[in-house]
Amino acid sequence: MRSYIKHILHVGAFLLVLAMAVFLAGHYLMPHSNRYLSGYTAGGILGEDFDTIDVLVMGDSNAAQGISPMQWYCDSGITGYTYASGWLSVYNIYYRLRSIYEEQTPKVVILCTDVVYSRMGDETELQAAIGDITDELIPLVRFHDNWKDLTLQNLFEEHDYSWRDTNKGFTPITTVGASTRGDYMYNDGSREPIPALVRLYLERIVALCEEHDSELLLITVPASSSWNLARHNGIQGFADEYGLTYLDYNMAGLDPGIDWRTDTPDGGSHLNVLGAQKLTAALGACLTENYALEDHRGQPGFESWDKDAAAYTEIITDAAARNQEAADYQISVLEGTA
Amino acid sequence: MSYNSFIYLFPFLSVSWLLWALAPQKWRPGVLLGASLVFYYASTQRYIVYILLAAAVAWGIGLLLERLNDLQAQTRPLLPAAERKSFKKQVAALKKMTVTGGVVTMAGILLFVKYLPFGARVLSQLLETLPGAPVLTVPSFVQPMGLSFFTLMAISYMVDVYRGTCKAAGRYWQVLLFLSFWPHAVEGPFDRYGALSPSLLDPPRPAYRDLTFGIQRIVWGLFKKMVIADRANMYVKAVFDDWTQYSGAATALGVLLYTLQLYAEFSGCMDIVCGSAELFGIHPAENFRQPFFSATVGEFWRRWHITLGAWLREYVFQPLILSKPMQVFTSFCREKVGPTAARQWPVWAGLGITWALIGLWHGAGWLYLLYGLYYFALQWLGELAEPALIRLAPGLPGWRKTRPYKLFQVLRTFLLVNLGMLIFRANGVWAALDMLRRLTIPYEGSLLIKVDARDMAVLAAGALVLFLVDWLHHRGHQLRAELSARPLPLRWAVYIGAVLAVMIFGAYGDNYDPAAFIYAQF
């Protein structure tokens, strides 16, 4: 018996030391700037002043390329941020949302639902869940490859997480690659079930938003190559069950006017600037109509937003012009006049 | 469920161990069987039926052989002396028929699923030369996980019972546990029922030493797989998949890194599976014994994938050499050629067939056949050239005892094995020949192909650690036992350093394509 206890204590002490070493190594391997904390420019949210974001958009690359919160600020003074990066899963989003709540108190959380059905490669649901949850709980696993960026000089440097993104998480894409899929939301009467673990984490996100008095809004970014009515029905069922508002911008009734010949850079997987402007405008109209969101323009404490808005206007004007040029060329190719 | 996946290492292995450790002794084999079936089902779903069927056939044949032995033992003394001999003969014939039936069934499953499409393709190509011949199309079948392993282990079980070297299992679950035991179900080793069943069916009590040593070996296996093999894979994949773009040093480095990758991965997998079994007090057969310290390719194959070589030697080569057709061939050689040919030619024929089978075991294709025959040719030519070499250099036997010559032999074997690896990994026979030609063309581009200088530094450091550990084992050191006698701070520093090395330098996550275990596909 005594040797059992001795062995258990021995193992416990070893695991404790190992855990400390793992978390210490994880700390040193975290990026030195929040610019590189996540894909696209999601990490920029850490550079925003506390409690300044009223609308938080969370999703994957569809959201990062499709929703431009700075446009809302320019139009109606709503402060928003798109926290999105490639292949972000529901599991990642749950943990990231939890950490964002430590610094921000968004009144509305918009969850882009394509993350519910997207999965990388041939991973099983369980593998994907375990991989993503481990990434979130053990920083060393998520940032392990950063050893390549370490030097003796920067190893012990303080982390600087004050970088702000002028575009507030939006990444403008100015190329065009037409989608020729035609009607992708035809009704075959089916409903794609939400995978069990994904559903569990969706429920946790719903509970987390309730706990922080945020209204959760489910939306689907137009994506002709990956979305369909069966998926819409799956999400609608979940929204109905939890009394959530669900706006699927792929549905004819909500179509923000996406022209699949010109508004996508990659055959309908994502939106380009032209598509993003339409979607952002439609979503912005919904936000101003249905949620009591303050106009922060000119308010004290939001000077940086006014400055960013000016820079954003220049960036987006230039990007839209380049995108329009590419769109005109695409149309001429499709019409055979190029 | 991959052996280096989080699901295997944590939920599966830790839950299995806890259930096993907490279960009463008589239930422990049941826990092992349950865990094996969960592992197998999680990896292959409905194809589990193949292993259930294989176990049923092997168990039935084993029982039948045992009954025949009992029948002989009980009946023979009661018979008149004159009838005993003929009765013994009849029983022997029945036993032979029974074991042949079992072996044919098991080999049939393997041939049907793994080799039928290749055979049909070859036959179709031959028929194409005849006018108006039909084109054969055979659907390819989904190969269940570990088919090449559990069918051969089932054959060895039946033959061992037939030969009387092990007792038949009384119950179906015992054979099923032996065949499906998860540490050897995917990539081997080829265990023998007689050697493994005592600890499998009556496992030792949970022991702290087994637990710690098992975990250490698993971590070492993960280091080889994730730090060395998976990082080397990035370079190897680029050079072999797009071989026409590379030549000279780039191709040579690709071949060298593939050898490193395959060794680190296969032996790493063996470390993970042997470590996993060790947690439960079970010690599967060892599959590697520092193969790159071999002086000849023959020795290399006695140290590399040891259990496959041993299996083929015992269940193919030896029966083949002693078979009637081979005896007829020996007589023919003696009468028509001479006594030397009668001594050598049947052995060479047997070796040729065995090496062809080693090649084909790795996969159904001409490339794998070429791979096996490459090693046969090396050994055969080596033996043929020996007398001429002695005549040319009479001092050779003396030089062979010197250190520089031994080093030369090791380097020569290493080079020849690398050429074999080129054949093994190439995308077909013509690609292999083209890559061999390209080795002679100078390469002027950067050698950092799909990797950066830091990846190369990790690979070099990993290879050095691997070499040092192998060298110490080669010198007779028992590293885990020796380390366990060192002061606690040193031990913990080594263990924690190893875990951190895997976690930090492992090629996993978003920036890497997960590489499946190569031998799992065989």
Side-chain angles (χ1 to χ4, degrees):
Chain A
M1 192 64 188
R2 186 175 283 178
S3 80
Y4 268 114
I5 292 169
K6 192 181 141 202
H7 287 149
I8 288 169
L9 287 175
H10 199 91
V11 169
F14 177 78
L15 290 177
L16 192 69
V17 176
L18 178 64
M20 284 163 62
V22 165
F23 279 92
L24 197 66
H27 172 77
Y28 282 108
L29 285 169
M30 282 182 76
H32 284 81
S33 162
N34 55 325
R35 171 69 185 84
Y36 307 106
L37 263 179
S38 192
Y40 290 88
T41 52
I45 198 166
L46 293 182
E48 297 297 334
D49 292 337
F50 281 15
D51 302 324
T52 52
I53 305 292
D54 283 345
V55 179
L56 175 65
V57 182
M58 300 207 75
D60 58 13
S61 52
N62 288 51
Q65 296 180 26
I67 299 171
S68 175
M70 208 48 176
Q71 195 173 317
W72 299 332
Y73 189 79
C74 294
D75 294 345
S76 50
I78 296 171
T79 52
Y81 201 98
T82 300
Y83 189 97
S85 73
W87 298 105
L88 211 63
S89 68
V90 172
Y91 317 110
N92 298 129
I93 286 173
Y94 170 74
Y95 289 102
R96 308 278 173 99
L97 182 58
R98 251 181 25 172
S99 67
I100 289 170
Y101 271 130
E102 288 171 13
E103 297 189 355
Q104 300 293 342
T105 49
K107 295 178 177 68
V108 182
V109 172
I110 299 174
L111 179 65
C112 298
T113 60
D114 32 314
V115 295
V116 170
Y117 296 109
S118 66
R119 201 165 59 209
M120 241 175 136
D122 52 0
E123 283 180 326
T124 64
E125 189 192 328
L126 189 64
Q127 282 170 335
I130 288 181
D132 288 347
I133 294 167
T134 313
D135 264 6
E136 297 300 328
L137 298 180
I138 308 174
L140 177 57
V141 173
R142 182 169 154 204
F143 298 115
H144 76 99
D145 226 22
N146 286 351
W147 63 268
K148 288 186 175 181
D149 303 324
L150 283 185
T151 60
L152 277 178
Q153 285 76 38
N154 69 15
L155 183 59
F156 299 107
E157 261 176 24
E158 281 285 310
H159 292 170
D160 176 10
Y161 285 179
S162 60
W163 175 79
R164 282 184 311 108
D165 179 23
T166 307
N167 295 336
K168 308 300 173 194
F170 169 64
T171 299
I173 304 293
T174 57
T175 54
V176 175
S179 163
T180 52
R181 259 199 88 196
D183 179 19
Y184 58 95
M185 297 294 283
Y186 52 85
N187 190 1
D188 66 356
S190 62
R191 172 194 284 201
E192 187 168 331
I194 297 173
L197 282 168
V198 172
R199 191 183 167 83
L200 179 74
Y201 270 78
L202 277 179
E203 288 165 356
R204 295 185 80 178
I205 290 172
V206 172
L208 191 61
C209 289
E210 275 175 9
E211 200 181 299
H212 289 86
D213 293 326
S214 301
E215 288 199 57
L216 180 61
L217 169 65
L218 304 182
I219 73 153
T220 306
V221 175
S224 68
S225 67
S226 59
W227 200 251
N228 54 48
L229 201 62
R231 291 184 169 188
H232 167 90
N233 292 338
I235 301 294
Q236 188 65 62
F238 181 84
D240 292 344
E241 195 178 327
Y242 286 89
L244 301 170
T245 308
Y246 173 42
L247 305 173
D248 185 347
Y249 288 100
N250 293 278
M251 299 296 280
L254 283 176
D255 182 5
I258 300 296
D259 181 346
W260 287 112
R261 296 174 306 165
T262 59
D263 296 353
T264 173
D266 48 15
S269 295
H270 301 89
L271 296 178
N272 55 22
V273 169
L274 297 180
Q277 283 181 318
K278 292 172 187 171
L279 174 66
T280 307
L283 191 52
C286 163
L287 290 171
T288 46
E289 276 170 31
N290 300 298
Y291 300 91
L293 298 166
E294 231 180 303
D295 181 349
H296 290 294
R297 284 175 294 185
Q299 282 187 356
F302 289 87
E303 293 83 0
S304 69
W305 280 78
D306 294 325
K307 214 169 90 187
D308 286 345
Y312 169 78
T313 307
E314 268 185 42
I315 292 168
I316 206 69
T317 307
D318 174 56
R322 278 188 286 131
N323 200 159
Q324 190 57 55
E325 219 174 281
D328 292 342
Y329 178 72
Q330 177 74 79
I331 292 287
S332 65
V333 169
L334 291 172
E335 290 174 351
T337 56
Chain B
M1 200 190 301
S2 177
Y3 287 129
N4 64 330
S5 66
F6 189 90
I7 296 179
Y8 173 74
L9 294 168
F10 292 97
F12 177 78
L13 211 50
S14 48
V15 169
S16 301
W17 190 85
L18 280 174
L19 288 174
W20 174 83
L22 295 173
Q25 177 65 10
K26 67 172 180 175
W27 287 103
R28 286 194 176 127
V31 173
L32 291 179
L33 178 64
S36 298
L37 293 179
V38 165
F39 177 88
Y40 204 87
Y41 183 78
S43 307
T44 64
Q45 275 89 43
R46 64 178 187 274
Y47 298 105
I48 194 173
V49 74
Y50 280 95
I51 203 164
L52 296 175
L53 181 71
V57 171
W59 172 65
I61 297 288
L63 272 191
L64 212 54
L65 290 167
E66 195 87 337
R67 295 283 178 275
L68 286 168
N69 281 341
D70 290 346
L71 181 74
Q72 188 177 346
Q74 286 161 9
T75 315
R76 202 163 158 246
L78 305 175
L79 293 173
E83 290 174 27
R84 282 183 192 170
K85 205 172 175 184
S86 69
F87 178 73
K88 189 182 171 189
K89 248 184 172 175
Q90 282 173 354
V91 173
L94 268 174
K95 278 174 66 181
K96 201 167 191 173
M97 270 170 58
T98 307
V99 76
T100 306
V103 171
V104 166
T105 307
M106 219 53 73
I109 295 174
L110 185 61
L111 288 172
F112 189 73
V113 176
K114 190 170 173 179
Y115 297 100
L116 189 63
F118 171 63
R121 210 167 54 240
V122 172
L123 198 60
S124 190
Q125 282 164 356
L126 290 173
L127 287 173
E128 267 176 27
T129 55
L130 303 174
V135 177
L136 295 177
T137 49
V138 176
S140 54
F141 301 98
V142 175
Q143 191 178 319
M145 186 183 79
L147 177 76
S148 307
F149 292 93
F150 69 73
T151 48
L152 297 197
M153 280 196 278
I155 288 174
S156 76
Y157 165 72
M158 292 183 291
V159 173
D160 287 352
V161 173
Y162 168 74
R163 288 175 177 170
T165 50
C166 82
K167 274 191 77 68
R171 297 182 191 285
Y172 170 66
W173 68 265
Q174 294 171 330
V175 181
L176 183 60
L177 172 56
F178 167 64
L179 295 185
S180 67
F181 184 48
W182 81 87
H184 67 196
V186 184
E187 294 196 39
F190 290 98
D191 281 305
R192 306 291 172 82
Y193 185 78
L196 201 68
S197 61
S199 57
L200 205 54
L201 303 180
D202 185 19
R205 307 286 187 276
Y208 183 69
R209 188 185 163 95
D210 285 339
L211 182 67
T212 52
F213 274 34
I215 292 172
Q216 287 164 30
R217 193 154 178 195
I218 290 172
V219 172
W220 174 232
L222 290 172
F223 177 85
K224 288 187 194 174
K225 162 72 178 156
M226 294 169 74
V227 178
I228 303 176
D230 287 354
R231 200 169 290 278
N233 181 53
M234 297 188 288
Y235 187 102
V236 170
K237 198 169 180 309
V239 169
F240 276 87
D241 289 358
D242 212 2
W243 81 93
T244 54
Q245 301 301 309
Y246 305 104
S247 62
T251 306
L253 187 58
V255 175
L256 194 68
L257 286 180
Y258 180 61
T259 305
L260 177 67
Q261 180 196 357
L262 191 64
Y263 176 53
E265 193 194 274
F266 193 16
S267 68
C269 177
M270 288 304 106
D271 288 322
I272 296 171
V273 300
C274 290
S276 301
E278 205 169 336
L279 300 176
F280 300 85
I282 296 165
H283 298 269
E286 291 295 340
N287 235 354
F288 288 90
R289 211 175 55 249
Q290 301 86 48
F292 290 104
F293 292 101
S294 306
T296 64
V297 287
E299 187 189 350
F300 174 83
W301 274 93
R302 287 191 295 278
R303 290 163 164 258
W304 170 282
H305 208 173
I306 296 168
T307 58
L308 174 67
W311 193 97
L312 285 163
R313 197 163 49 246
E314 199 165 323
Y315 300 104
V316 176
F317 179 71
Q318 286 170 4
L320 194 65
I321 285 294
L322 299 173
S323 66
K324 272 193 184 147
M326 205 56 101
Q327 284 167 9
V328 172
F329 180 57
T330 307
S331 309
F332 172 82
C333 292
R334 191 177 296 115
E335 286 164 22
K336 303 287 178 191
V337 189
T340 312
R343 204 174 54 250
Q344 287 179 333
W345 289 17
V347 175
W348 287 342
L351 276 176
I353 292 168
T354 309
W355 276 110
L357 287 176
I358 288 182
L360 285 173
W361 177 86
H362 288 90
W366 293 113
L367 187 76
Y368 295 110
L369 185 64
L370 179 68
Y371 175 67
L373 292 179
Y374 165 75
Y375 281 105
F376 167 65
L378 287 180
Q379 285 185 289
W380 187 41
L381 293 174
E383 277 195 44
L384 279 182
E386 180 71 8
L389 280 176
I390 301 283
R391 269 201 302 278
L392 279 172
L396 192 61
W399 300 344
R400 279 182 175 155
K401 290 175 187 143
T402 63
R403 278 192 170 210
Y405 191 86
K406 281 181 180 160
L407 182 64
F408 159 74
Q409 283 183 307
V410 168
L411 292 175
R412 181 189 61 188
T413 304
F414 182 70
L415 183 72
L416 293 171
V417 166
N418 270 277
L419 288 176
M421 292 299 181
L422 185 154
I423 298 170
F424 189 61
R425 177 62 174 82
N427 287 344
V429 176
W430 295 116
L433 294 174
D434 193 35
M435 284 183 80
L436 280 171
R437 184 184 67 82
R438 286 177 170 278
L439 280 171
T440 61
I441 302 171
Y443 178 74
E444 285 166 4
S446 165
L447 285 178
L448 296 175
I449 300 163
K450 299 280 180 191
V451 291
D452 56 30
R454 294 194 171 207
D455 288 315
M456 281 299 194
V458 167
L459 274 175
L464 185 66
V465 172
L466 182 58
F467 173 80
L468 283 175
V469 168
D470 269 8
W471 185 74
L472 289 169
H473 280 139
H474 183 65
R475 304 284 294 173
H477 288 272
Q478 305 279 325
L479 290 184
R480 282 182 296 167
E482 287 170 23
L483 189 60
S484 69
R486 300 280 174 176
L488 184 131
L490 177 68
R491 272 186 286 145
W492 283 21
V494 172
Y495 303 151
I496 289 171
V499 173
L500 288 183
V502 173
M503 291 182 81
I504 295 172
F505 300 116
Y508 66 93
D510 292 346
N511 298 337
Y512 303 92
D513 283 333
F517 279 103
I518 296 169
Y519 264 73
Q521 63 186 294
F522 304 139

